[in-house]
Structures are given as structure tokens and as C-alpha cells.
Coordinates of all heavy atoms in Angstrom, one line a residue:
M1 N -100.1 32.3 17.4 CA -98.8 32.7 17.0 C -98.4 32.2 15.6 O -98.9 31.3 15.1 CB -97.8 32.0 17.9 CG -96.3 32.4 17.8 SD -95.5 31.9 19.2 CE -93.9 32.6 18.8
E2 N -97.7 33.2 14.9 CA -97.3 32.9 13.4 C -96.2 31.9 13.3 O -95.3 31.8 14.0 CB -96.8 34.3 12.9 CG -96.7 34.1 11.4 CD -96.2 35.5 10.9 OE1 -96.8 36.6 11.3 OE2 -95.3 35.6 10.0
E3 N -96.6 30.9 12.4 CA -95.6 29.8 12.1 C -94.5 30.3 11.2 O -94.7 30.9 10.2 CB -96.3 28.6 11.5 CG -95.5 27.4 11.5 CD -96.5 26.2 11.0 OE1 -97.5 26.1 11.4 OE2 -95.9 25.5 10.1
I4 N -93.3 29.8 11.5 CA -92.1 30.2 10.8 C -91.9 29.2 9.6 O -91.8 28.0 9.8 CB -90.9 30.3 11.6 CG1 -91.0 31.3 12.7 CG2 -89.6 30.6 10.8 CD1 -89.9 31.3 13.7
S5 N -91.9 29.7 8.4 CA -91.7 28.8 7.3 C -90.3 28.5 7.1 O -89.3 29.3 7.4 CB -92.3 29.5 5.9 OG -91.5 30.6 5.7
E6 N -90.1 27.2 6.6 CA -88.7 26.7 6.3 C -88.0 27.4 5.1 O -88.7 27.6 4.0 CB -88.7 25.3 6.1 CG -87.3 24.6 6.1 CD -86.6 24.6 7.3 OE1 -87.2 24.7 8.3 OE2 -85.4 24.7 7.2
V7 N -86.8 27.9 5.2 CA -86.1 28.5 4.0 C -85.6 27.3 3.2 O -84.9 26.4 3.7 CB -84.9 29.4 4.6 CG1 -84.2 29.9 3.4 CG2 -85.4 30.4 5.4
P8 N -85.8 27.5 1.8 CA -85.3 26.4 0.9 C -83.8 26.2 1.0 O -83.1 27.2 1.3 CB -85.7 26.9 -0.5 CG -86.7 27.8 -0.2 CD -86.6 28.5 1.2
A9 N -83.4 25.0 0.8 CA -81.9 24.7 1.0 C -81.1 25.5 0.1 O -80.0 25.8 0.4 CB -81.6 23.3 0.9
H10 N -81.5 25.7 -1.2 CA -80.8 26.3 -2.2 C -80.5 27.9 -1.8 O -79.5 28.4 -2.1 CB -81.3 26.2 -3.6 CG -82.6 26.9 -3.8 ND1 -83.9 26.4 -3.3 CD2 -82.9 28.1 -4.3 CE1 -84.8 27.2 -3.7 NE2 -84.2 28.4 -4.3
R11 N -81.5 28.5 -1.2 CA -81.3 29.9 -0.8 C -80.3 29.9 0.4 O -79.6 30.8 0.5 CB -82.6 30.4 -0.3 CG -83.4 30.6 -1.6 CD -84.5 31.7 -1.4 NE -85.3 31.8 -2.7 CZ -86.4 32.5 -2.7 NH1 -86.9 33.1 -1.7 NH2 -87.0 32.6 -3.8
Q12 N -80.4 28.9 1.3 CA -79.4 28.9 2.4 C -78.0 28.6 1.9 O -77.0 29.3 2.3 CB -79.7 27.8 3.4 CG -81.0 28.1 4.3 CD -81.2 26.9 5.2 OE1 -80.4 26.0 5.4 NE2 -82.3 27.2 6.1
L13 N -77.9 27.8 0.9 CA -76.5 27.6 0.3 C -76.0 28.8 -0.4 O -74.8 29.2 -0.2 CB -76.6 26.5 -0.7 CG -75.3 26.2 -1.3 CD1 -74.3 25.6 -0.4 CD2 -75.6 25.1 -2.6
L14 N -76.9 29.5 -1.0 CA -76.5 30.7 -1.8 C -76.0 31.8 -0.7 O -75.0 32.4 -0.9 CB -77.6 31.3 -2.6 CG -77.4 32.6 -3.3 CD1 -76.2 32.5 -4.3 CD2 -78.6 33.2 -3.9
I15 N -76.7 31.9 0.4 CA -76.4 32.9 1.3 C -75.0 32.5 2.0 O -74.2 33.5 2.2 CB -77.4 33.1 2.4 CG1 -78.7 33.8 1.8 CG2 -76.9 33.8 3.6 CD1 -79.9 33.7 2.7
W16 N -74.8 31.3 2.3 CA -73.6 30.9 2.9 C -72.3 30.9 1.9 O -71.2 31.1 2.3 CB -73.7 29.4 3.5 CG -74.4 29.4 4.8 CD1 -75.6 29.0 5.1 CD2 -73.9 30.0 6.1 NE1 -76.0 29.3 6.4 CE2 -74.8 29.9 7.0 CE3 -72.7 30.6 6.4 CZ2 -74.7 30.2 8.3 CZ3 -72.4 31.0 7.8 CH2 -73.5 30.7 8.6
L17 N -72.6 30.9 0.6 CA -71.5 31.0 -0.4 C -71.2 32.5 -0.5 O -70.1 32.9 -1.0 CB -72.0 30.5 -1.7 CG -72.0 28.9 -1.8 CD1 -72.6 28.5 -3.1 CD2 -70.7 28.3 -1.4
L18 N -72.2 33.4 -0.3 CA -71.9 34.9 -0.4 C -71.2 35.3 0.8 O -70.5 36.4 0.7 CB -73.2 35.6 -0.6 CG -73.8 35.6 -2.0 CD1 -75.2 36.3 -2.0 CD2 -72.9 36.2 -3.1
V19 N -71.2 34.7 1.9 CA -70.6 35.2 3.1 C -69.1 35.5 3.0 O -68.6 36.5 3.3 CB -71.0 34.4 4.4 CG1 -70.1 34.7 5.5 CG2 -72.4 34.6 4.7
P20 N -68.3 34.5 2.5 CA -66.9 34.6 2.3 C -66.5 35.7 1.4 O -65.6 36.5 1.5 CB -66.3 33.4 1.9 CG -67.3 32.3 2.1 CD -68.7 33.0 2.2
L21 N -67.3 35.8 0.3 CA -67.0 36.9 -0.8 C -67.2 38.2 -0.1 O -66.4 39.1 -0.4 CB -68.0 36.6 -1.9 CG -68.0 37.7 -3.0 CD1 -66.6 37.7 -3.7 CD2 -69.1 37.6 -4.0
L22 N -68.4 38.4 0.6 CA -68.5 39.7 1.2 C -67.6 40.0 2.4 O -67.3 41.2 2.6 CB -70.0 39.7 1.6 CG -71.0 39.8 0.5 CD1 -72.4 39.7 1.0 CD2 -70.9 41.0 -0.4
A23 N -67.0 38.9 3.0 CA -66.1 39.2 4.0 C -64.9 39.7 3.4 O -64.2 40.6 3.9 CB -65.9 37.8 4.8
V24 N -64.5 39.2 2.3 CA -63.3 39.7 1.6 C -63.6 41.2 1.2 O -62.6 42.0 1.2 CB -62.9 38.8 0.3 CG1 -61.9 39.5 -0.5 CG2 -62.4 37.4 0.8
M25 N -64.7 41.5 0.6 CA -65.1 42.9 0.2 C -65.0 43.8 1.4 O -64.4 44.9 1.3 CB -66.5 42.8 -0.4 CG -67.0 44.0 -0.9 SD -68.5 43.7 -1.6 CE -69.1 45.4 -2.0
M26 N -65.5 43.3 2.6 CA -65.5 44.2 3.8 C -64.1 44.4 4.2 O -63.5 45.6 4.5 CB -66.3 43.5 4.8 CG -66.4 44.3 6.2 SD -67.2 43.4 7.5 CE -68.9 43.8 7.0
N27 N -63.2 43.4 4.3 CA -61.8 43.6 4.8 C -61.1 44.3 3.8 O -60.1 45.1 4.2 CB -61.2 42.2 5.0 CG -61.8 41.5 6.3 OD1 -62.0 42.2 7.3 ND2 -61.9 40.2 6.2
S28 N -61.1 44.1 2.5 CA -60.4 45.0 1.6 C -60.8 46.5 1.6 O -59.9 47.3 1.3 CB -60.5 44.4 0.2 OG -61.8 44.5 -0.2
S29 N -62.0 46.8 1.9 CA -62.4 48.2 2.0 C -61.8 48.8 3.1 O -61.5 50.0 3.1 CB -63.9 48.3 1.9 OG -64.4 47.9 3.3
I30 N -61.6 48.2 4.2 CA -61.0 48.8 5.4 C -59.4 48.6 5.3 O -58.7 49.6 5.6 CB -61.5 48.1 6.7 CG1 -63.0 48.4 6.8 CG2 -60.9 48.6 8.0 CD1 -63.4 49.8 6.8
L31 N -59.0 47.4 5.1 CA -57.5 47.3 5.2 C -56.7 47.7 3.8 O -55.5 47.7 3.9 CB -57.2 45.7 5.4 CG -57.9 45.2 6.7 CD1 -57.5 43.7 6.8 CD2 -57.2 45.9 7.9
G32 N -57.5 48.0 2.9 CA -56.9 48.4 1.6 C -56.3 49.9 1.7 O -55.5 50.4 0.8
A33 N -56.5 50.6 2.7 CA -56.0 52.0 2.8 C -54.6 52.1 3.2 O -53.9 53.1 3.1 CB -56.8 52.7 3.9
W34 N -54.0 50.9 3.6 CA -52.5 50.9 3.9 C -51.6 51.4 2.8 O -50.5 52.1 3.0 CB -52.0 49.5 4.4 CG -51.9 48.6 3.2 CD1 -53.0 47.7 2.8 CD2 -50.9 48.4 2.4 NE1 -52.6 47.0 1.7 CE2 -51.3 47.4 1.4 CE3 -49.5 48.9 2.3 CZ2 -50.5 47.0 0.3 CZ3 -48.8 48.5 1.2 CH2 -49.2 47.5 0.3
I35 N -52.1 51.3 1.5 CA -51.3 51.7 0.3 C -51.0 53.2 0.4 O -50.1 53.6 -0.2 CB -51.9 51.1 -0.9 CG1 -50.8 51.1 -2.0 CG2 -53.1 51.9 -1.3 CD1 -51.3 50.2 -3.1
F36 N -52.0 53.9 0.8 CA -51.9 55.4 0.9 C -50.9 55.9 1.9 O -50.5 57.2 1.9 CB -53.2 56.0 1.1 CG -54.2 55.7 0.1 CD1 -55.3 54.9 0.4 CD2 -54.1 56.1 -1.3 CE1 -56.3 54.5 -0.5 CE2 -55.0 55.6 -2.2 CZ -56.1 54.9 -1.9
Y37 N -50.3 55.1 2.8 CA -49.5 55.5 3.8 C -48.0 55.0 3.6 O -47.2 55.1 4.5 CB -49.9 54.9 5.2 CG -51.3 55.7 5.5 CD1 -52.5 55.0 5.4 CD2 -51.2 57.0 6.0 CE1 -53.7 55.6 5.6 CE2 -52.4 57.6 6.4 CZ -53.7 56.9 6.2 OH -54.9 57.5 6.5
I38 N -47.8 54.6 2.3 CA -46.4 54.1 2.0 C -45.5 55.3 1.9 O -45.8 56.2 1.0 CB -46.4 53.1 0.9 CG1 -47.1 51.9 1.1 CG2 -44.9 52.9 0.4 CD1 -47.3 51.0 -0.1
P39 N -44.3 55.5 2.6 CA -43.6 56.7 2.4 C -43.0 56.7 1.0 O -42.5 55.8 0.6 CB -42.5 56.5 3.6 CG -43.1 55.5 4.5 CD -44.0 54.7 3.8
G40 N -43.0 58.0 0.5 CA -42.4 58.1 -0.9 C -43.1 57.7 -2.0 O -42.7 57.7 -3.2
R41 N -44.4 57.2 -1.8 CA -45.2 56.7 -2.9 C -45.8 57.9 -3.6 O -46.3 58.8 -2.9 CB -46.3 55.8 -2.3 CG -47.1 55.1 -3.4 CD -48.0 54.1 -2.7 NE -48.7 53.3 -3.7 CZ -49.8 53.7 -4.2 NH1 -50.3 54.8 -3.9 NH2 -50.5 53.1 -5.2
D42 N -45.9 57.8 -4.9 CA -46.4 59.0 -5.7 C -48.0 59.0 -5.6 O -48.6 57.9 -5.3 CB -46.2 58.7 -7.3 CG -44.7 58.8 -7.6 OD1 -44.0 59.6 -6.9 OD2 -44.4 58.2 -8.6
Y43 N -48.6 60.2 -5.6 CA -50.0 60.3 -5.5 C -50.6 60.0 -6.9 O -50.2 60.4 -7.9 CB -50.2 61.8 -5.2 CG -51.7 62.2 -4.9 CD1 -52.4 61.9 -3.9 CD2 -52.4 62.8 -6.1 CE1 -53.8 62.2 -3.7 CE2 -53.7 63.1 -5.9 CZ -54.4 62.8 -4.8 OH -55.7 63.1 -4.8
R44 N -51.6 59.1 -6.8 CA -52.3 58.8 -7.9 C -53.8 59.2 -7.8 O -54.6 58.6 -7.0 CB -52.3 57.3 -8.2 CG -50.8 56.9 -8.5 CD -50.6 55.4 -8.8 NE -49.2 55.1 -9.1 CZ -48.6 54.1 -8.4 NH1 -49.3 53.4 -7.4 NH2 -47.5 53.9 -8.7
L45 N -54.2 60.2 -8.6 CA -55.5 60.7 -8.4 C -56.6 59.7 -8.5 O -57.5 59.5 -7.6 CB -55.7 61.8 -9.5 CG -57.2 62.5 -9.4 CD1 -57.4 63.2 -8.1 CD2 -57.4 63.4 -10.6
W46 N -56.7 58.9 -9.6 CA -57.7 58.0 -9.9 C -57.8 56.9 -8.8 O -58.9 56.3 -8.4 CB -57.7 57.4 -11.2 CG -58.1 58.3 -12.1 CD1 -57.4 59.0 -13.1 CD2 -59.5 58.7 -12.4 NE1 -58.2 60.0 -13.8 CE2 -59.5 59.8 -13.4 CE3 -60.7 58.5 -11.8 CZ2 -60.6 60.4 -13.8 CZ3 -61.9 59.2 -12.2 CH2 -61.8 60.1 -13.3
E47 N -56.7 56.5 -8.4 CA -56.7 55.6 -7.3 C -57.3 56.0 -5.9 O -58.2 55.3 -5.3 CB -55.2 55.2 -6.9 CG -55.1 53.9 -6.0 CD -53.6 53.6 -5.7 OE1 -52.8 54.4 -5.4 OE2 -53.2 52.6 -6.2
N48 N -57.0 57.3 -5.7 CA -57.6 57.9 -4.5 C -59.1 58.1 -4.7 O -60.0 57.9 -3.7 CB -56.9 59.2 -4.1 CG -55.6 59.0 -3.6 OD1 -55.4 58.3 -2.7 ND2 -54.5 59.5 -4.2
V49 N -59.5 58.4 -5.8 CA -60.9 58.7 -6.2 C -61.8 57.5 -6.1 O -62.8 57.4 -5.5 CB -61.0 59.4 -7.6 CG1 -62.5 59.3 -8.1 CG2 -60.6 60.8 -7.6
L50 N -61.2 56.4 -6.7 CA -61.9 55.1 -6.5 C -62.0 54.5 -5.1 O -63.0 54.1 -4.7 CB -61.2 54.1 -7.4 CG -61.4 54.2 -8.9 CD1 -60.5 53.3 -9.6 CD2 -62.8 54.0 -9.3
Y51 N -60.9 54.7 -4.3 CA -61.0 54.2 -3.0 C -62.0 55.1 -2.2 O -62.8 54.5 -1.4 CB -59.6 54.3 -2.3 CG -59.7 53.7 -0.9 CD1 -59.7 52.4 -0.7 CD2 -59.7 54.6 0.2 CE1 -59.8 51.9 0.6 CE2 -59.8 54.2 1.5 CZ -59.8 52.8 1.6 OH -60.0 52.3 3.0
A52 N -61.9 56.3 -2.4 CA -62.7 57.3 -1.6 C -64.3 57.0 -1.8 O -65.2 57.1 -0.9 CB -62.4 58.6 -1.8
S53 N -64.5 56.7 -3.1 CA -66.0 56.6 -3.5 C -66.5 55.1 -3.2 O -67.7 55.0 -3.1 CB -66.1 56.9 -5.0 OG -65.4 56.1 -5.7
L54 N -65.6 54.1 -3.1 CA -66.1 52.7 -3.0 C -65.9 52.1 -1.8 O -66.6 51.1 -1.5 CB -65.4 51.9 -4.1 CG -65.7 52.3 -5.6 CD1 -64.9 51.5 -6.6 CD2 -67.2 52.1 -6.0
H55 N -65.0 52.6 -0.8 CA -64.7 51.9 0.4 C -65.9 51.9 1.3 O -66.2 51.0 2.0 CB -63.5 52.5 1.0 CG -63.7 53.6 2.0 ND1 -63.8 54.9 1.3 CD2 -63.9 53.7 3.2 CE1 -64.0 55.7 2.4 NE2 -64.0 55.1 3.5
R56 N -66.7 52.9 1.2 CA -68.0 53.0 2.1 C -69.0 51.9 1.7 O -69.7 51.3 2.4 CB -68.5 54.3 2.2 CG -67.6 55.3 2.9 CD -68.2 56.7 3.0 NE -67.3 57.6 3.6 CZ -67.5 58.3 4.6 NH1 -68.6 58.2 5.2 NH2 -66.6 59.1 5.1
I57 N -69.2 51.8 0.3 CA -70.0 50.8 -0.4 C -69.5 49.5 0.0 O -70.3 48.5 0.4 CB -70.2 51.0 -1.8 CG1 -70.8 52.3 -2.1 CG2 -71.0 49.9 -2.4 CD1 -70.8 52.8 -3.5
G58 N -68.2 49.3 0.0 CA -67.6 48.0 0.2 C -67.8 47.6 1.7 O -67.7 46.4 2.0
W59 N -68.0 48.5 2.7 CA -68.3 48.1 4.0 C -69.7 48.0 4.3 O -70.2 47.1 4.9 CB -67.7 49.3 4.9 CG -68.0 49.0 6.3 CD1 -69.0 49.7 7.0 CD2 -67.3 48.1 7.2 NE1 -68.9 49.2 8.3 CE2 -67.9 48.3 8.5 CE3 -66.2 47.3 7.1 CZ2 -67.5 47.5 9.5 CZ3 -65.8 46.4 8.1 CH2 -66.4 46.7 9.4
A60 N -70.6 48.9 3.6 CA -71.9 49.0 3.9 C -72.9 47.7 3.3 O -73.7 47.3 4.0 CB -72.6 50.3 3.5
V61 N -72.4 47.3 2.2 CA -73.1 46.3 1.6 C -73.0 44.9 2.3 O -74.0 44.3 2.6 CB -72.7 46.1 0.0 CG1 -73.1 44.7 -0.5 CG2 -73.2 47.2 -0.8
P62 N -71.7 44.5 2.8 CA -71.6 43.3 3.5 C -72.4 43.4 4.9 O -72.9 42.5 5.4 CB -70.2 43.0 3.8 CG -69.5 43.8 2.6 CD -70.4 45.0 2.4
V63 N -72.3 44.6 5.5 CA -73.0 44.7 6.8 C -74.4 44.6 6.6 O -75.1 43.9 7.5 CB -72.7 46.1 7.6 CG1 -73.6 46.4 8.7 CG2 -71.2 46.1 7.9
A64 N -75.0 45.3 5.7 CA -76.5 45.1 5.3 C -76.9 43.7 5.0 O -77.9 43.2 5.4 CB -76.9 46.1 4.2
F65 N -75.9 43.0 4.2 CA -76.2 41.6 3.8 C -76.2 40.7 5.1 O -77.2 39.9 5.2 CB -75.1 41.1 2.9 CG -75.3 39.6 2.7 CD1 -76.2 39.2 1.7 CD2 -74.4 38.7 3.3 CE1 -76.3 37.8 1.4 CE2 -74.6 37.3 3.1 CZ -75.5 37.0 2.1
V66 N -75.4 40.9 6.1 CA -75.3 40.2 7.2 C -76.7 40.3 8.1 O -77.3 39.4 8.6 CB -74.2 40.4 8.1 CG1 -74.3 39.8 9.6 CG2 -72.9 39.9 7.5
I67 N -77.2 41.5 8.2 CA -78.4 42.0 8.9 C -79.6 41.2 8.2 O -80.4 40.6 8.8 CB -78.5 43.3 9.1 CG1 -77.4 44.0 9.9 CG2 -79.9 43.7 9.5 CD1 -77.4 45.5 9.9
V68 N -79.7 41.4 6.9 CA -80.8 40.8 6.2 C -80.7 39.3 6.1 O -81.7 38.7 6.4 CB -80.9 41.4 4.7 CG1 -81.9 40.6 3.9 CG2 -81.2 42.8 4.8
A69 N -79.6 38.7 6.0 CA -79.4 37.3 5.8 C -79.7 36.6 7.2 O -80.3 35.6 7.4 CB -78.0 36.9 5.4
D70 N -79.4 37.2 8.3 CA -79.7 36.8 9.6 C -81.1 36.8 9.9 O -81.7 36.0 10.5 CB -78.9 37.6 10.7 CG -79.1 37.1 12.1 OD1 -79.1 35.8 12.2 OD2 -79.2 37.8 13.1
A71 N -81.8 37.9 9.5 CA -83.3 38.0 9.6 C -83.9 36.9 8.8 O -85.0 36.4 9.1 CB -83.7 39.2 9.2
Y72 N -83.4 36.5 7.6 CA -83.9 35.6 6.7 C -83.7 34.2 7.0 O -84.7 33.3 7.1 CB -83.4 35.9 5.2 CG -84.0 35.1 4.2 CD1 -85.4 35.4 3.9 CD2 -83.4 34.2 3.4 CE1 -86.1 34.7 3.0 CE2 -84.1 33.4 2.4 CZ -85.4 33.7 2.1 OH -86.0 33.1 1.1
I73 N -82.5 33.8 7.3 CA -82.3 32.4 7.6 C -82.0 32.1 9.1 O -81.6 31.0 9.5 CB -81.2 31.7 6.7 CG1 -79.8 32.4 7.0 CG2 -81.5 31.8 5.3 CD1 -78.7 31.6 6.3
A74 N -81.8 33.2 9.9 CA -81.4 33.0 11.3 C -80.2 32.2 11.6 O -80.2 31.0 11.8 CB -82.6 32.5 12.1
F75 N -79.1 32.9 11.4 CA -77.8 32.3 11.5 C -77.5 31.6 12.9 O -76.9 30.5 13.0 CB -76.6 33.3 11.5 CG -76.4 33.8 10.1 CD1 -76.2 35.2 10.0 CD2 -76.4 33.0 9.0 CE1 -75.9 35.8 8.7 CE2 -76.2 33.5 7.8 CZ -75.9 34.9 7.6
G76 N -78.3 32.1 13.9 CA -78.2 31.4 15.2 C -76.8 31.7 15.8 O -76.3 32.7 15.7
K77 N -76.3 30.5 16.6 CA -74.9 30.8 17.1 C -73.9 30.3 16.1 O -73.7 29.2 15.9 CB -75.0 29.8 18.3 CG -75.9 30.1 19.4 CD -75.8 29.1 20.6 CE -76.7 29.5 21.7 NZ -76.7 28.6 22.8
V78 N -73.4 31.4 15.5 CA -72.4 31.2 14.5 C -71.0 31.2 15.2 O -70.7 31.9 16.0 CB -72.4 32.3 13.5 CG1 -71.3 32.2 12.5 CG2 -73.7 32.2 12.8

């Protein structure tokens, strides 16, 4: 059976420091759409273009990070 090597402490710290940042990124990509539903608000082309092009990245990157980080350091029971 293959022996599991220990992950260095500085890498574990880096991963745990990135988790809150990516949680904010994930939540802002989903919850940031409320601004488009304000009644009487002017349509702003660039705002819509930026949101439409970046919100999927803002969701996919944190989800992929959680999957990879869990495989790397094994979050366990969080």
C-alpha cells in the first residue's frame, strides 16, 4: 500500500488563507446579480458584459480549488 506523504505546513496555511478569498469570489459571482433587477435602473452595457463574462469564472475557480485542495490536503470533517 502506498504511503501518504505529509503536506508541508506552509502549503496548508496558504490553502487555508485562500479559502475565504475564494468564498467571497464565489458569493459575489452569484449574489452580485441583484443589481440588474433594481427597478428603474439604467442599462449599462459594460457592466452587463463584465458580469456575463466573469461570473462563471468566479464560480468555477473556487469550486475547482475546493476539489483540488481537498485532494491535496484532505480537509476531512470541516
